[in-house]
């Protein structure tokens, strides 16, 4: 048993940490994109906007953005640095964002328009995920309610009646 736990334990731990890291990035993505969009709209370049966002926010997504900034400083193209970000995080929303930025850069579309649309889509997706979790809550509450609450209610309601019946027919 110890060998099995020693063999599979690290894998489960890493998967858990990876999922947690990805979830934190998903939660921070819309806010960071809004701030990035505001910086770009104010006239800052994409690189300077990354630094400003890093000054204002903290978290795993900001750390990833700083890695992108460092890669750009070392001579990698913005497109390659962003694609590395999408590959390393393995988050569908981020991959969509990176591909939209790459297309905007190719077609000459202002980046701010892409940022606004992507941010709005991420907020809608986050709202839908929250609604889905809320819809699943009653089903998850059903089993504990049946197992713990209903028996207590039956004891409180039926208990006195059972005691009276025992006293009547038991002669006590």
């Amino acid at each position: 048993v110890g060998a099995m736990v020693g063999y599979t334990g690290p894998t489960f731990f890493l998967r858990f940490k990876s999922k947690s890291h990805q979830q934190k990035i998903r939660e921070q993505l819309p806010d960071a994109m809004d701030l990035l969009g505001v910086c770009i709209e104010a006239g800052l370049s994409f690189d300077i906007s990354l630094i400003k966002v890093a000054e204002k926010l903290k978290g795993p997504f900001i750390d990833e953005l700083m890695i992108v900034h460092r890669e750009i400083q070392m001579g990698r193209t913005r497109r390659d640095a962003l694609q590395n970000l999408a590959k390393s995080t393995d988050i569908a929303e981020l991959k969509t964002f990176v591909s939209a930025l790459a297309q905007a850069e190719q077609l000459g579309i202002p980046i701010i328009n892409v940022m606004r649309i992507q941010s709005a889509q991420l907020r809608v997706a986050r709202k839908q995920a929250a609604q889905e979790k809320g819809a699943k809550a009653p089903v998850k509450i059903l089993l504990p309610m049946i197992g713990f609450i209903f028996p207590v209610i039956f004891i409180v309601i039926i208990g006195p009646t059972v005691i009276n019946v025992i006293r009547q027919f038991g002669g006590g």
Side-chain angles (χ1 to χ4, degrees):
V1 172
M4 192 164 141
V5 169
Y7 182 72
T8 59
T11 304
F12 285 123
F13 178 74
L14 286 176
R15 282 187 190 154
F16 172 76
K17 289 300 247 181
S18 173
K19 297 267 188 214
S20 172
H21 185 73
Q22 288 175 345
Q23 185 59 34
K24 288 176 185 174
I25 289 174
R26 276 190 190 97
E27 290 170 359
Q28 197 174 26
L29 193 58
D31 297 330
M33 282 192 353
D34 282 342
L35 191 55
L36 195 61
V38 167
C39 290
I40 291 172
E41 195 171 17
L44 298 177
S45 70
F46 184 78
D47 301 340
I48 303 293
S49 297
L50 289 177
I51 294 171
K52 290 296 180 187
V53 169
E55 289 175 1
K56 299 293 181 189
L57 299 175
K58 301 291 179 213
F61 182 58
I62 303 307
D63 297 339
E64 297 289 339
L65 285 180
M66 289 313 298
I67 291 170
V68 167
H69 177 67
R70 285 187 208 110
E71 286 181 359
I72 292 171
Q73 281 182 331
M74 290 189 301
R76 188 166 281 185
T77 64
R78 181 187 313 165
R79 175 187 239 172
D80 290 341
L82 287 170
Q83 285 177 347
N84 286 341
L85 169 68
K87 287 178 189 174
S88 69
T89 56
D90 196 31
I91 297 174
E93 295 92 347
L94 198 53
K95 287 180 181 180
T96 304
F97 170 67
V98 167
S99 65
L101 276 180
Q103 282 182 345
E105 190 175 346
Q106 271 183 341
L107 300 174
I109 299 170
I111 293 176
I112 186 62
N113 295 345
V114 174
M115 303 288 274
R116 284 185 191 139
I117 292 168
Q118 291 292 318
S119 180
Q121 286 178 345
L122 286 172
R123 291 191 191 285
V124 167
R126 188 165 42 171
K127 182 179 177 182
Q128 287 174 345
Q131 288 175 342
E132 184 179 322
K133 284 183 181 180
K136 290 180 181 179
V139 174
K140 291 180 180 180
I141 291 174
L142 185 65
L143 288 177
M145 202 161 96
I146 289 171
F148 298 115
I149 296 173
F150 285 155
V152 173
I153 290 174
F154 288 138
I155 290 171
V156 169
I157 292 174
I158 298 175
T161 306
V162 170
I163 291 172
N164 285 337
V165 168
I166 291 172
R167 283 185 185 160
Q168 289 291 327
F169 293 111

Coordinates of all heavy atoms in Angstrom, one line a residue, residues 36-118:
L36 N -5.0 45.5 -18.9 CA -4.1 45.6 -20.0 C -4.8 46.4 -21.1 O -4.1 47.2 -21.8 CB -3.9 44.2 -20.5 CG -2.7 43.9 -21.4 CD1 -1.4 44.3 -20.8 CD2 -2.6 42.5 -21.8
G37 N -6.0 46.3 -21.4 CA -6.8 47.0 -22.4 C -6.8 48.5 -22.0 O -6.6 49.4 -22.9
V38 N -7.0 48.9 -20.8 CA -7.0 50.3 -20.4 C -5.6 50.9 -20.6 O -5.5 52.0 -21.1 CB -7.4 50.4 -18.9 CG1 -7.1 51.8 -18.3 CG2 -8.9 50.1 -18.7
C39 N -4.6 50.1 -20.3 CA -3.2 50.6 -20.5 C -2.9 50.9 -22.0 O -2.3 51.9 -22.4 CB -2.2 49.7 -19.9 SG -2.2 49.6 -18.1
I40 N -3.3 49.9 -22.8 CA -3.1 50.0 -24.2 C -3.9 51.2 -24.8 O -3.5 52.0 -25.6 CB -3.4 48.7 -25.0 CG1 -2.4 47.7 -24.6 CG2 -3.5 48.9 -26.5 CD1 -2.7 46.3 -25.1
E41 N -5.1 51.4 -24.3 CA -6.0 52.4 -24.8 C -5.4 53.8 -24.3 O -5.6 54.8 -25.0 CB -7.4 52.3 -24.2 CG -8.5 53.1 -24.8 CD -9.9 52.7 -24.3 OE1 -10.0 52.0 -23.3 OE2 -10.8 53.1 -25.0
A42 N -4.7 53.8 -23.2 CA -4.1 55.1 -22.8 C -2.9 55.5 -23.6 O -2.3 56.5 -23.4 CB -3.7 54.9 -21.3
G43 N -2.5 54.6 -24.5 CA -1.4 54.9 -25.4 C -0.1 54.2 -25.1 O 0.9 54.4 -25.8
L44 N -0.1 53.3 -24.1 CA 1.1 52.5 -23.8 C 1.3 51.4 -24.8 O 0.3 50.9 -25.3 CB 1.1 52.0 -22.4 CG 1.0 53.0 -21.2 CD1 0.9 52.3 -19.9 CD2 2.2 53.9 -21.2
S45 N 2.5 51.0 -25.0 CA 2.8 49.8 -25.8 C 2.4 48.5 -25.1 O 2.2 48.6 -23.9 CB 4.2 49.8 -26.3 OG 5.0 49.4 -25.1
F46 N 2.3 47.5 -25.8 CA 1.9 46.2 -25.2 C 2.9 45.8 -24.1 O 2.6 45.3 -23.0 CB 1.9 45.1 -26.3 CG 1.4 43.8 -25.8 CD1 0.0 43.6 -25.5 CD2 2.3 42.7 -25.5 CE1 -0.4 42.3 -25.1 CE2 1.8 41.5 -25.0 CZ 0.5 41.3 -24.8
D47 N 4.2 46.0 -24.4 CA 5.3 45.6 -23.4 C 5.2 46.4 -22.1 O 5.2 45.9 -21.0 CB 6.7 45.8 -24.0 CG 6.8 44.9 -25.3 OD1 6.1 44.0 -25.5 OD2 7.7 45.3 -26.1
I48 N 5.0 47.7 -22.3 CA 4.9 48.6 -21.1 C 3.6 48.3 -20.4 O 3.6 48.3 -19.1 CB 4.9 50.1 -21.5 CG1 6.2 50.4 -22.3 CG2 4.8 51.0 -20.3 CD1 7.5 50.3 -21.5
S49 N 2.6 48.0 -21.1 CA 1.3 47.6 -20.5 C 1.4 46.4 -19.6 O 0.8 46.3 -18.5 CB 0.2 47.4 -21.5 OG 0.0 48.6 -22.3
L50 N 2.2 45.4 -20.1 CA 2.5 44.2 -19.2 C 3.1 44.6 -17.9 O 2.7 44.1 -16.9 CB 3.4 43.2 -20.0 CG 2.7 42.5 -21.2 CD1 3.8 41.6 -21.9 CD2 1.6 41.7 -20.8
I51 N 4.0 45.5 -18.0 CA 4.7 45.9 -16.7 C 3.7 46.6 -15.8 O 3.7 46.4 -14.6 CB 5.9 46.8 -17.1 CG1 7.0 46.0 -17.8 CG2 6.5 47.4 -15.8 CD1 8.1 46.8 -18.4
K52 N 2.9 47.5 -16.4 CA 1.9 48.3 -15.5 C 0.9 47.3 -14.9 O 0.6 47.5 -13.7 CB 1.2 49.3 -16.4 CG 2.1 50.5 -16.8 CD 2.5 51.2 -15.6 CE 3.4 52.4 -16.0 NZ 4.0 53.1 -14.9
V53 N 0.5 46.3 -15.6 CA -0.5 45.3 -15.1 C 0.2 44.6 -13.9 O -0.4 44.3 -12.9 CB -1.0 44.4 -16.2 CG1 -1.7 43.2 -15.6 CG2 -1.9 45.1 -17.1
A54 N 1.5 44.2 -14.1 CA 2.2 43.5 -13.1 C 2.4 44.3 -11.8 O 2.4 43.8 -10.7 CB 3.6 43.1 -13.6
E55 N 2.5 45.7 -12.0 CA 2.6 46.6 -10.8 C 1.3 46.6 -10.0 O 1.3 46.7 -8.8 CB 3.0 48.0 -11.3 CG 4.4 48.1 -11.8 CD 4.7 49.5 -12.3 OE1 3.8 50.4 -12.3 OE2 5.8 49.7 -12.8
K56 N 0.2 46.5 -10.7 CA -1.1 46.7 -10.1 C -1.7 45.4 -9.5 O -2.4 45.4 -8.5 CB -2.1 47.3 -11.1 CG -1.7 48.7 -11.6 CD -1.8 49.7 -10.5 CE -1.4 51.1 -11.0 NZ -1.2 52.0 -10.0
L57 N -1.4 44.3 -10.2 CA -2.0 43.0 -9.8 C -0.9 42.0 -9.4 O 0.2 42.1 -9.8 CB -2.9 42.4 -10.9 CG -4.0 43.3 -11.4 CD1 -4.7 42.6 -12.7 CD2 -5.1 43.4 -10.4
K58 N -1.3 41.1 -8.6 CA -0.4 40.0 -8.2 C -1.2 38.6 -8.5 O -2.4 38.6 -8.4 CB 0.0 40.1 -6.7 CG 0.7 41.3 -6.4 CD 2.0 41.4 -7.0 CE 2.7 42.7 -6.7 NZ 3.6 43.2 -7.7
G59 N -0.4 37.6 -8.7 CA -1.0 36.3 -8.9 C -0.3 35.5 -10.0 O 0.6 35.9 -10.6
P60 N -0.8 34.3 -10.2 CA -0.2 33.4 -11.1 C -0.2 33.9 -12.6 O 0.7 33.7 -13.3 CB -0.9 32.0 -11.0 CG -2.1 32.3 -10.3 CD -1.9 33.6 -9.5
F61 N -1.3 34.5 -13.0 CA -1.4 35.0 -14.4 C -0.4 36.1 -14.6 O 0.2 36.2 -15.7 CB -2.8 35.4 -14.7 CG -3.0 35.8 -16.1 CD1 -2.7 35.0 -17.2 CD2 -3.4 37.1 -16.4 CE1 -2.8 35.4 -18.5 CE2 -3.6 37.5 -17.7 CZ -3.3 36.6 -18.8
I62 N -0.3 36.9 -13.6 CA 0.6 38.1 -13.7 C 2.1 37.5 -13.8 O 2.9 38.0 -14.6 CB 0.5 39.0 -12.5 CG1 -0.9 39.5 -12.4 CG2 1.5 40.2 -12.6 CD1 -1.5 40.1 -13.7
D63 N 2.4 36.5 -13.1 CA 3.7 35.8 -13.2 C 3.9 35.3 -14.6 O 5.0 35.5 -15.2 CB 3.8 34.7 -12.2 CG 3.7 35.2 -10.7 OD1 4.0 36.4 -10.5 OD2 3.4 34.4 -9.8
E64 N 2.9 34.7 -15.2 CA 3.0 34.2 -16.5 C 3.2 35.4 -17.5 O 4.0 35.3 -18.5 CB 1.8 33.4 -16.9 CG 1.6 32.2 -16.1 CD 2.6 31.1 -16.4 OE1 3.2 31.1 -17.5 OE2 2.7 30.2 -15.5
L65 N 2.5 36.5 -17.3 CA 2.7 37.7 -18.2 C 4.1 38.2 -18.1 O 4.6 38.7 -19.1 CB 1.6 38.7 -17.8 CG 0.2 38.5 -18.3 CD1 -0.7 39.7 -17.9 CD2 0.1 38.3 -19.8
M66 N 4.7 38.2 -16.9 CA 6.0 38.7 -16.8 C 7.0 37.8 -17.5 O 8.0 38.2 -18.0 CB 6.4 38.8 -15.3 CG 5.7 40.0 -14.6 SD 5.7 41.6 -15.5 CE 7.4 41.9 -15.6
I67 N 6.7 36.5 -17.5 CA 7.6 35.6 -18.3 C 7.5 35.9 -19.8 O 8.5 36.0 -20.5 CB 7.2 34.1 -18.1 CG1 7.5 33.7 -16.6 CG2 7.8 33.2 -19.1 CD1 7.0 32.4 -16.2
V68 N 6.3 36.2 -20.3 CA 6.1 36.7 -21.6 C 6.9 37.9 -21.9 O 7.6 38.1 -22.9 CB 4.6 36.9 -22.0 CG1 4.4 37.7 -23.3 CG2 3.8 35.6 -22.0
H69 N 6.8 38.9 -21.0 CA 7.6 40.1 -21.1 C 9.1 39.9 -21.2 O 9.8 40.5 -22.1 CB 7.3 41.1 -20.0 CG 8.0 42.4 -20.0 ND1 7.8 43.3 -21.0 CD2 9.0 42.8 -19.2 CE1 8.7 44.3 -20.8 NE2 9.4 44.0 -19.7
R70 N 9.6 39.0 -20.4 CA 11.0 38.7 -20.4 C 11.4 38.0 -21.7 O 12.5 38.3 -22.2 CB 11.4 37.8 -19.2 CG 11.4 38.6 -17.9 CD 11.9 37.7 -16.8 NE 11.4 38.2 -15.5 CZ 10.4 37.5 -14.8 NH1 10.0 36.4 -15.2 NH2 10.0 38.1 -13.7
E71 N 10.5 37.1 -22.2 CA 10.8 36.5 -23.5 C 10.9 37.5 -24.6 O 11.7 37.4 -25.5 CB 9.8 35.4 -23.8 CG 9.9 34.2 -23.0 CD 8.9 33.1 -23.3 OE1 8.0 33.3 -24.2 OE2 8.9 32.0 -22.7
I72 N 10.0 38.5 -24.6 CA 10.0 39.5 -25.6 C 11.3 40.4 -25.5 O 11.9 40.7 -26.5 CB 8.7 40.4 -25.5 CG1 7.5 39.6 -25.9 CG2 8.8 41.6 -26.4 CD1 6.2 40.3 -25.6
Q73 N 11.7 40.7 -24.3 CA 12.9 41.4 -24.1 C 14.1 40.7 -24.6 O 15.1 41.3 -25.1 CB 13.1 41.8 -22.6 CG 12.3 42.9 -22.1 CD 12.6 43.2 -20.6 OE1 12.9 42.3 -19.9 NE2 12.4 44.4 -20.3
M74 N 14.1 39.4 -24.5 CA 15.3 38.6 -24.9 C 15.3 38.4 -26.5 O 16.2 37.7 -27.0 CB 15.3 37.2 -24.2 CG 15.6 37.3 -22.8 SD 15.9 35.8 -21.9 CE 14.4 34.9 -22.2
G75 N 14.3 38.9 -27.2 CA 14.4 38.9 -28.6 C 13.3 38.0 -29.3 O 13.3 37.9 -30.5
R76 N 12.5 37.3 -28.5 CA 11.5 36.4 -29.1 C 10.4 37.3 -29.6 O 10.1 38.4 -29.0 CB 11.0 35.5 -28.0 CG 10.0 34.4 -28.6 CD 9.8 33.3 -27.6 NE 11.0 32.4 -27.7 CZ 11.1 31.3 -27.1 NH1 10.2 30.9 -26.3 NH2 12.2 30.6 -27.3
T77 N 9.7 37.0 -30.6 CA 8.6 37.8 -31.1 C 7.4 37.7 -30.1 O 7.3 36.7 -29.4 CB 8.1 37.3 -32.5 OG1 7.6 36.0 -32.4 CG2 9.2 37.3 -33.5
R78 N 6.6 38.7 -30.2 CA 5.4 38.7 -29.3 C 4.5 37.5 -29.5 O 4.0 36.9 -28.6 CB 4.6 40.0 -29.5 CG 3.4 40.1 -28.6 CD 2.5 41.3 -28.9 NE 3.3 42.5 -29.0 CZ 2.7 43.6 -29.6 NH1 1.5 43.6 -30.0 NH2 3.5 44.7 -29.7
R79 N 4.3 37.2 -30.8 CA 3.5 36.1 -31.1 C 4.0 34.8 -30.5 O 3.3 34.0 -29.9 CB 3.4 35.9 -32.6 CG 2.7 34.7 -33.1 CD 2.7 34.6 -34.6 NE 1.4 34.6 -35.1 CZ 1.1 34.7 -36.4 NH1 2.0 34.7 -37.3 NH2 -0.1 34.6 -36.8
D80 N 5.3 34.5 -30.7 CA 5.9 33.3 -30.1 C 5.8 33.3 -28.6 O 5.6 32.2 -28.0 CB 7.4 33.2 -30.5 CG 7.5 32.9 -32.0 OD1 6.5 32.4 -32.6 OD2 8.6 33.1 -32.6
A81 N 6.1 34.4 -27.9 CA 6.0 34.5 -26.5 C 4.6 34.2 -26.0 O 4.4 33.4 -25.0 CB 6.5 35.8 -26.0
L82 N 3.6 34.7 -26.7 CA 2.2 34.5 -26.3 C 1.8 33.1 -26.5 O 1.1 32.5 -25.8 CB 1.3 35.5 -27.0 CG 1.3 36.9 -26.5 CD1 0.6 37.8 -27.4 CD2 0.8 37.0 -25.1
Q83 N 2.3 32.5 -27.6 CA 2.0 31.1 -27.9 C 2.6 30.2 -26.9 O 2.0 29.2 -26.5 CB 2.4 30.7 -29.3 CG 1.5 31.3 -30.4 CD 1.9 31.0 -31.8 OE1 3.1 30.6 -32.1 NE2 1.1 31.2 -32.8
N84 N 3.8 30.5 -26.4 CA 4.5 29.7 -25.3 C 3.6 29.8 -24.1 O 3.5 28.8 -23.3 CB 5.9 30.2 -25.1 CG 6.8 29.8 -26.2 OD1 6.6 28.9 -26.9 ND2 8.0 30.5 -26.2
L85 N 3.1 31.0 -23.8 CA 2.2 31.2 -22.6 C 1.0 30.3 -22.8 O 0.6 29.6 -21.8 CB 1.8 32.6 -22.5 CG 0.6 33.0 -21.5 CD1 1.1 32.8 -20.1 CD2 0.1 34.4 -21.7
A86 N 0.4 30.2 -23.9 CA -0.8 29.4 -24.1 C -0.5 27.9 -24.0 O -1.3 27.2 -23.4 CB -1.4 29.7 -25.5
K87 N 0.7 27.5 -24.5 CA 1.1 26.1 -24.4 C 1.4 25.7 -22.9 O 1.0 24.6 -22.5 CB 2.3 25.8 -25.2 CG 2.0 25.8 -26.7 CD 3.3 25.6 -27.5 CE 3.1 25.8 -29.0 NZ 4.3 25.7 -29.7
S88 N 2.1 26.6 -22.2 CA 2.5 26.3 -20.9 C 1.4 26.2 -19.9 O 1.4 25.4 -18.9 CB 3.6 27.2 -20.4 OG 3.0 28.5 -20.2
T89 N 0.4 27.1 -20.1 CA -0.7 27.1 -19.1 C -1.8 26.1 -19.4 O -2.5 25.6 -18.6 CB -1.4 28.5 -19.0 OG1 -1.8 28.9 -20.3 CG2 -0.4 29.5 -18.4
D90 N -2.0 25.8 -20.7 CA -3.0 24.8 -21.2 C -4.4 25.1 -20.7 O -5.1 24.3 -20.2 CB -2.6 23.4 -20.7 CG -3.3 22.3 -21.5 OD1 -3.6 22.5 -22.7 OD2 -3.6 21.2 -20.9
I91 N -4.7 26.4 -21.0 CA -6.1 26.9 -20.7 C -6.7 27.3 -22.0 O -6.2 28.1 -22.7 CB -6.0 28.1 -19.7 CG1 -5.4 27.6 -18.3 CG2 -7.3 28.7 -19.4 CD1 -5.1 28.7 -17.4
A92 N -7.9 26.8 -22.2 CA -8.6 27.1 -23.5 C -8.9 28.6 -23.7 O -8.7 29.1 -24.8 CB -9.9 26.3 -23.5
E93 N -9.3 29.3 -22.6 CA -9.6 30.7 -22.8 C -8.4 31.5 -23.1 O -8.5 32.4 -23.9 CB -10.2 31.2 -21.4 CG -11.5 30.6 -21.1 CD -11.4 29.4 -20.2 OE1 -10.3 28.9 -20.0 OE2 -12.4 29.0 -19.6
L94 N -7.3 31.1 -22.6 CA -6.0 31.8 -22.9 C -5.5 31.5 -24.3 O -5.0 32.4 -25.0 CB -4.9 31.4 -21.9 CG -3.7 32.3 -21.7 CD1 -4.2 33.8 -21.5 CD2 -2.8 31.9 -20.6
K95 N -5.7 30.3 -24.7 CA -5.4 29.9 -26.1 C -6.2 30.8 -27.1 O -5.7 31.2 -28.1 CB -5.6 28.4 -26.4 CG -4.5 27.6 -25.7 CD -4.8 26.1 -26.0 CE -3.7 25.3 -25.2 NZ -3.9 23.9 -25.5
T96 N -7.5 30.9 -26.8 CA -8.4 31.7 -27.6 C -7.9 33.2 -27.7 O -7.9 33.8 -28.7 CB -9.8 31.7 -27.1 OG1 -10.2 30.3 -27.1 CG2 -10.8 32.5 -28.0
F97 N -7.6 33.7 -26.5 CA -7.1 35.1 -26.4 C -5.8 35.3 -27.2 O -5.7 36.2 -28.0 CB -6.8 35.4 -24.9 CG -6.1 36.7 -24.7 CD1 -6.7 37.9 -25.0 CD2 -4.8 36.7 -24.1 CE1 -6.0 39.1 -24.8 CE2 -4.2 37.9 -23.9 CZ -4.8 39.1 -24.3
V98 N -4.9 34.3 -27.1 CA -3.6 34.4 -27.8 C -3.8 34.4 -29.3 O -3.2 35.1 -30.1 CB -2.6 33.3 -27.3 CG1 -1.4 33.2 -28.3 CG2 -2.2 33.6 -25.9
S99 N -4.7 33.5 -29.8 CA -4.9 33.4 -31.2 C -5.6 34.6 -31.7 O -5.4 35.1 -32.8 CB -5.7 32.1 -31.5 OG -7.0 32.2 -31.0
A100 N -6.5 35.2 -30.9 CA -7.2 36.4 -31.3 C -6.2 37.6 -31.4 O -6.2 38.4 -32.4 CB -8.3 36.8 -30.3
L101 N -5.2 37.6 -30.5 CA -4.2 38.7 -30.5 C -3.3 38.5 -31.8 O -2.9 39.5 -32.4 CB -3.3 38.7 -29.3 CG -3.8 39.4 -28.1 CD1 -2.9 39.3 -26.9 CD2 -4.1 40.9 -28.4
A102 N -3.0 37.2 -32.1 CA -2.1 37.0 -33.2 C -2.9 37.4 -34.5 O -2.3 38.0 -35.4 CB -1.8 35.5 -33.3
Q103 N -4.2 37.1 -34.6 CA -4.9 37.5 -35.8 C -5.0 39.0 -35.9 O -4.9 39.6 -37.0 CB -6.3 36.9 -35.8 CG -6.3 35.4 -36.2 CD -7.7 34.9 -36.2 OE1 -8.7 35.4 -35.6 NE2 -7.9 33.7 -36.8
A104 N -5.2 39.6 -34.8 CA -5.3 41.1 -34.8 C -4.0 41.7 -35.2 O -4.0 42.7 -36.0 CB -5.7 41.6 -33.4
E105 N -2.9 41.2 -34.8 CA -1.6 41.7 -35.2 C -1.4 41.5 -36.7 O -0.9 42.3 -37.4 CB -0.5 41.0 -34.4 CG 0.8 41.6 -34.6 CD 1.8 40.9 -33.6 OE1 1.5 40.2 -32.7 OE2 3.0 41.1 -33.9
Q106 N -1.8 40.3 -37.2 CA -1.7 40.0 -38.7 C -2.5 40.9 -39.5 O -2.1 41.4 -40.6 CB -2.1 38.6 -39.0 CG -1.0 37.6 -38.8 CD -1.4 36.2 -39.2 OE1 -2.6 35.9 -39.2 NE2 -0.5 35.3 -39.5
L107 N -3.8 41.1 -39.1 CA -4.7 41.9 -39.9 C -4.7 43.4 -39.6 O -5.3 44.2 -40.3 CB -6.1 41.4 -39.6 CG -6.4 39.9 -40.0 CD1 -7.8 39.5 -39.5 CD2 -6.2 39.7 -41.4
G108 N -3.9 43.8 -38.6 CA -3.8 45.2 -38.4 C -5.0 45.8 -37.6 O -5.2 47.0 -37.6
I109 N -5.7 44.9 -36.9 CA -6.8 45.4 -36.1 C -6.3 45.9 -34.8 O -5.3 45.3 -34.2 CB -7.8 44.2 -35.8 CG1 -8.3 43.7 -37.1 CG2 -8.9 44.6 -34.9 CD1 -9.1 42.4 -37.0
P110 N -6.8 47.0 -34.2 CA -6.3 47.5 -32.9 C -6.5 46.4 -31.8 O -7.6 45.8 -31.7 CB -7.2 48.7 -32.6 CG -7.7 49.1 -34.0 CD -7.8 47.9 -34.8
I111 N -5.5 46.3 -31.0 CA -5.5 45.2 -30.0 C -6.6 45.5 -29.0 O -7.1 44.6 -28.4 CB -4.1 45.1 -29.3 CG1 -3.1 44.6 -30.3 CG2 -4.1 44.2 -28.1 CD1 -1.7 44.6 -29.8
I112 N -6.9 46.8 -28.7 CA -7.9 47.1 -27.7 C -9.2 46.5 -28.0 O -9.9 46.1 -27.1 CB -7.9 48.7 -27.5 CG1 -8.8 49.0 -26.3 CG2 -8.4 49.4 -28.7 CD1 -8.4 48.5 -25.0
N113 N -9.6 46.5 -29.3 CA -10.9 45.9 -29.7 C -10.9 44.4 -29.3 O -11.9 43.9 -28.8 CB -11.1 46.1 -31.2 CG -11.3 47.5 -31.5 OD1 -11.5 48.4 -30.7 ND2 -11.2 47.8 -32.8
V114 N -9.8 43.7 -29.6 CA -9.7 42.3 -29.3 C -9.8 42.1 -27.7 O -10.5 41.2 -27.3 CB -8.4 41.7 -29.8 CG1 -8.2 40.3 -29.4 CG2 -8.4 41.8 -31.3
M115 N -9.1 43.0 -27.0 CA -9.1 42.9 -25.5 C -10.5 43.0 -25.0 O -10.9 42.3 -24.1 CB -8.2 43.9 -24.9 CG -6.8 43.9 -25.4 SD -5.9 42.5 -24.8 CE -5.3 43.1 -23.3
R116 N -11.3 44.0 -25.5 CA -12.6 44.2 -25.0 C -13.5 43.0 -25.2 O -14.3 42.6 -24.4 CB -13.2 45.5 -25.6 CG -12.7 46.7 -25.1 CD -13.4 47.9 -25.7 NE -12.7 49.1 -25.4 CZ -12.6 50.1 -26.3 NH1 -13.0 50.0 -27.5 NH2 -11.9 51.2 -25.9
I117 N -13.5 42.5 -26.5 CA -14.3 41.4 -26.8 C -14.0 40.1 -26.0 O -14.9 39.5 -25.5 CB -14.2 41.1 -28.3 CG1 -14.8 42.3 -29.1 CG2 -14.9 39.8 -28.7 CD1 -14.5 42.2 -30.6
Q118 N -12.7 39.9 -25.9 CA -12.2 38.7 -25.2 C -12.6 38.8 -23.7 O -13.0 37.8 -23.1 CB -10.7 38.5 -25.3 CG -10.3 38.1 -26.7 CD -10.8 36.7 -27.0 OE1 -10.7 35.8 -26.2 NE2 -11.2 36.5 -28.2

